Amino acid sequence: MNTSDGSAGSGTPGSADGPGSADGPGSAHNGYGRDAGHTRGRGRPAPDDFDALVEEAAAAPMEGWEFAWLDGRATEERPAWGYQRLMAAQLARARAALDIQTGGGEVLAEAGELPPTTVATESWPPNIAKATALLHPRGAVVVADPDEPPLPFADAAFDLVTSRHPATVWWSEIARVLAPGGTYLAQHVGPESVFELAEFLLGPLPEEARRGRHPDAESAAARQAGLEPADVRTARLRMEFHDIGAVVWFLRKVIWIVPGFTVEGHRKRLRELHQLLCADGPFVAHSTRTLFVARKPR
């Protein structure tokens, strides 16, 4: 769903994919999870592996927002800018920070130093529980929030707002809760992210979906809300899926790529993709990421 204030919400294929660790060299393929760059050896799948691989992936847990389950089964390049490092540097200088749509809190928890006031929002109950367990020992508070306006905070409450792969960006709310001189630092999912996989399962996607999440449109929306974009960069990054279990797990986790995805509903195309993986090796797709830094005028 697109609105005048938000960007490519949960109804848009590919709107908020977010696998892997937050950082890593942009020039190298990195395995998902904490062992980025090191993958378990897995030979090419065999034709009769389909049911076992799909059942394994369908039964795997989905809590949190980390992707170690894909280690050795899928890879993705990382943007050169290093979002985790940029975020940690901003947090070390901030007095009050808000992390929007924190997932399981994994990215925020990696920061070496948190501001005296640190708050994170999240909407999915399993993630709220996981983020609370992870962030409370660091002195951060996790607030259950439906990811729709208004944010449950006063005007000018934070001098830093961060978000990694938000499903929807509510620019007017970000501008409202930022103090004058405050910074919005985020890594957004860019246009046409993982469309190769989405279109394999769904067929050609409409032009409207292709235009979603474009950095020019996001910059215009930020300006309209009263923010000044300071650094906007987009990277196109190679992804490889090595077996059909990795595909199923990824689509269960990142529900925006193929909205309404179920194994049974897409079994025919999944089986065809499995046969391609067996015959030709990894399925290649491309994610897009946008570094977005904006400031609220003093």
Side-chain angles (χ1 to χ4, degrees):
M1 177 179 65
N2 290 312
T3 71
S4 59
D5 191 40
S7 299
S10 59
T12 303
S15 66
D17 51 306
S21 57
D23 255 342
S27 61
H29 276 187
N30 292 296
Y32 288 112
R34 293 187 179 274
D35 294 326
H38 177 75
T39 57
R40 299 190 303 270
R42 280 179 171 266
R44 186 175 295 185
D48 59 359
D49 289 342
F50 177 79
D51 289 333
L53 290 169
V54 167
E55 289 172 9
E56 178 192 16
M62 290 286 107
E63 291 82 4
W65 196 243
E66 62 90 25
F67 286 66
W69 196 90
L70 293 178
D71 284 353
R73 310 179 75 152
T75 60
E76 181 186 12
E77 290 180 313
R78 296 285 177 247
W81 52 73
Y83 175 75
Q84 180 72 63
R85 294 187 294 274
L86 295 174
M87 180 186 186
Q90 290 282 346
L91 287 166
R93 296 192 294 267
R95 299 181 305 276
L98 169 64
D99 190 45
I100 296 175
Q101 298 180 35
T102 197
E106 298 90 348
V107 178
L108 183 57
E110 289 288 331
E113 181 180 352
L114 296 180
T117 299
T118 302
V119 182
T121 64
E122 175 56 30
S123 62
W124 193 41
N127 278 352
I128 294 169
K130 183 170 183 178
T132 297
L134 190 60
L135 294 173
H136 268 202
R138 300 288 312 277
V141 175
V142 179
V143 176
D145 178 73
D147 293 340
E148 294 182 358
L151 287 167
F153 308 108
D155 296 358
F158 303 97
D159 54 294
L160 175 65
V161 174
T162 61
S163 192
R164 180 174 179 267
H165 303 177
T168 306
V169 183
W170 300 103
W171 292 105
S172 63
E173 282 299 287
I174 292 167
R176 181 183 66 79
V177 301
L178 269 177
T183 297
Y184 175 64
L185 169 68
Q187 182 171 287
H188 293 174
V189 174
E192 299 185 73
S193 195
V194 204
F195 265 36
E196 298 94 336
L197 181 57
E199 292 193 321
F200 187 94
L201 294 176
L202 300 174
L205 293 170
E207 187 62 29
E208 179 184 359
R210 295 185 176 280
R211 291 196 303 268
R213 289 283 188 173
H214 195 283
D216 290 346
E218 292 194 322
S219 294
R223 290 189 185 95
Q224 186 175 12
L227 300 176
E228 297 178 348
D231 189 359
V232 180
R233 287 179 266 166
T234 298
R236 180 172 166 84
L237 307 161
R238 181 182 175 96
M239 303 176 70
E240 294 184 359
F241 295 90
H242 293 265
D243 69 65
I244 198 65
V247 172
V248 169
W249 192 92
F250 178 78
L251 293 175
R252 289 184 62 220
K253 186 79 164 180
V254 190
I255 60 175
W256 305 271
I257 302 298
V258 178
F261 171 79
T262 65
V263 170
E264 287 309 312
H266 298 87
R267 182 173 288 271
K268 180 177 183 294
R269 289 297 281 166
L270 289 171
R271 188 176 290 278
E272 292 171 0
L273 180 53
H274 173 67
Q275 297 301 324
L276 287 175
L277 290 163
C278 295
D280 300 335
F283 181 86
V284 176
H286 294 85
S287 64
T288 54
R289 301 286 182 262
T290 299
L291 175 68
F292 204 103
V293 182
R295 295 189 174 89
K296 184 173 180 177
R298 293 186 182 277

